């Protein structure tokens, strides 16, 4: 990929996911905090756990008991789950305060439930991007943007996904690919930012947009991802990283999200050529400091 310098205003998705800990009022508070931090988009998760999990998985204890909200993994997931009606109410709340709601959908039932109230985009997590029955519904029955992470996904599998959307001419108009490494948190050496370049080299003219979904610590890597071409930056978001749950440790708190939005916007302003050889801001220093020869 060569730099085309066609940089657009960065879009930041505050992924609340299940960081609300199953409490609806905390979910709304996190929307408010994301807005106050400067993000425009928030994202939750929707799962039908009986459909998604095997009976054995459902009834097995959570692998990290101190993070569990139930005696089994299934009961833990059910505790964190909002109903379709609650998701609709979250979307309505977002609409009311000029935020854009979305959710990751993990199964066919959840996809159909959330599609009923037409969110601007829906997200396919890395774990489910090989569920072609679900992808078919998103491709053929949903009209919004389909955002899809490619963590723990081979390059051949990515090609199959893109071709699947191309079969109905839906890749270029509606499919967004997120470069992603699936870990919580991910050390810098495993973030593999140049995967963004690989996505551009192979899919710039075949998909709608390319983004970066990060599970690392800090915000410096996100700025680098934007510079490499990621137009959407997705980060997990919480009020308190010490809260109970598996995602909080790899999440940004409000102060961190605010700094991320600030620094991405600063990078956007900076990524340009000089408009003239000597900028107006330089004249005073030139007249005072430039060597006379």
């Amino acid at each position: 990929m060569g730099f085309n310098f066609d940089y657009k205003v960065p879009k930041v998705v505050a992924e609340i996911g299940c960081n609300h800990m199953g409490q609806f009022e905390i979910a709304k508070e996190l929307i408010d905090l994301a807005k106050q931090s400067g993000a425009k988009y928030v994202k939750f998760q929707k799962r039908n756990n009986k459909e998604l999990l095997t009976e054995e998985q459902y009834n097995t204890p959570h692998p990290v008991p101190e993070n569990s909200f139930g005696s089994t993994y299934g009961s833990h997931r059910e505790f964190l789950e909002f109903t379709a009606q609650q998701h609709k109410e979250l979307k309505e709340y977002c609409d009311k305060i000029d935020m854009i709601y979305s959710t990751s959908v993990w199964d066919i039932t959840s996809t159909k439930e959330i599609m009923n109230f037409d969110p601007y985009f829906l997200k396919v997590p890395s774990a489910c991007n090989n569920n072609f029955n679900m992808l078919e519904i998103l491709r053929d029955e949903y009209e919004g943007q389909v955002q899809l992470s490619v963590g723990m996904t081979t390059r051949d599998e990515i090609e199959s996904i893109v071709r699947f959307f191309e079969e109905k001419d839906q890749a270029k108009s509606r499919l967004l690919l997120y470069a992603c490494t699936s870990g919580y948190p991910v050390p810098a050496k495993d973030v593999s930012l140049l995967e963004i370049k690989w996505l551009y080299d192979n899919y710039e003219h075949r998909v709608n947009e390319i983004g970066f979904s990060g599970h690392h610590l800090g915000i410096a890597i996100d700025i680098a991802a934007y510079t490499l071409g990621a137009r959407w930056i997705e980060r997990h978001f919480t009020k308190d990283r010490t809260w109970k749950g598996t995602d909080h440790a790899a999440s940004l708190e409000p102060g961190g999200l605010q700094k991320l939005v600030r620094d991405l916007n600063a990078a956007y302003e900076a990524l340009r050529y000089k408009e003239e050889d000597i900028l107006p801001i330089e004249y005073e220093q030139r007249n005072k400091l430039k060597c006379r020869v």
Side-chain angles (χ1 to χ4, degrees), residues 138-155:
L138 288 167
R139 184 193 67 181
D140 297 349
E141 301 179 30
Y142 173 62
E143 296 184 355
Q145 187 181 59
V146 177
Q147 300 192 353
L148 184 144
S149 279
V150 296
M152 52 185 172
T153 304
T154 70
R155 294 186 174 187

Side-chain angles (χ1 to χ4, degrees), residues 103-236:
T103 187
S104 295
V105 287
W106 287 66
D107 53 80
I108 290 173
T109 298
S110 298
T111 299
K112 290 182 175 180
E113 287 176 338
I114 301 299
M115 279 171 46
N116 284 332
F117 47 89
D118 297 323
Y120 176 69
F121 70 88
L122 286 174
K123 171 75 182 293
V124 178
S126 298
C128 305
N129 65 23
N130 61 340
N131 184 343
F132 281 88
N133 291 327
M134 185 176 78
L135 294 183
E136 184 175 18
I137 293 169
L138 288 167
R139 184 193 67 181
D140 297 349
E141 301 179 30
Y142 173 62
E143 296 184 355
Q145 187 181 59
V146 177
Q147 300 192 353
L148 184 144
S149 279
V150 296
M152 52 185 172
T153 304
T154 70
R155 294 186 174 187
D156 285 345
E157 289 170 337
I158 295 170
E159 176 65 19
S160 295
I161 292 165
V162 174
R163 286 187 178 182
F164 182 76
F165 278 83
E166 287 177 332
E167 288 175 5
K168 296 290 183 72
D169 295 323
Q170 296 298 305
K172 182 61 179 174
S173 61
R174 296 201 297 123
L175 182 62
L176 180 151
L177 298 180
Y178 279 112
C180 176
T181 297
S182 299
Y184 301 88
V186 177
K189 67 182 180 65
D190 291 328
V191 171
S192 305
L193 276 182
L194 292 182
E195 290 300 299
I196 296 171
K197 179 183 183 301
W198 182 84
L199 288 174
Y200 265 95
D201 288 345
N202 289 275
Y203 297 111
E204 179 179 8
H205 302 295
R206 295 175 61 186
V207 302
N208 186 241
E209 291 183 288
I210 291 168
F212 172 69
S213 178
H215 305 122
H216 52 281
L217 302 178
I219 60 174
I221 286 172
D222 303 286
I223 311 305
Y226 174 70
T227 304
L228 285 169
R231 296 298 172 255
W232 292 71
I233 303 293
E234 178 187 82
R235 290 297 305 273
H236 282 266

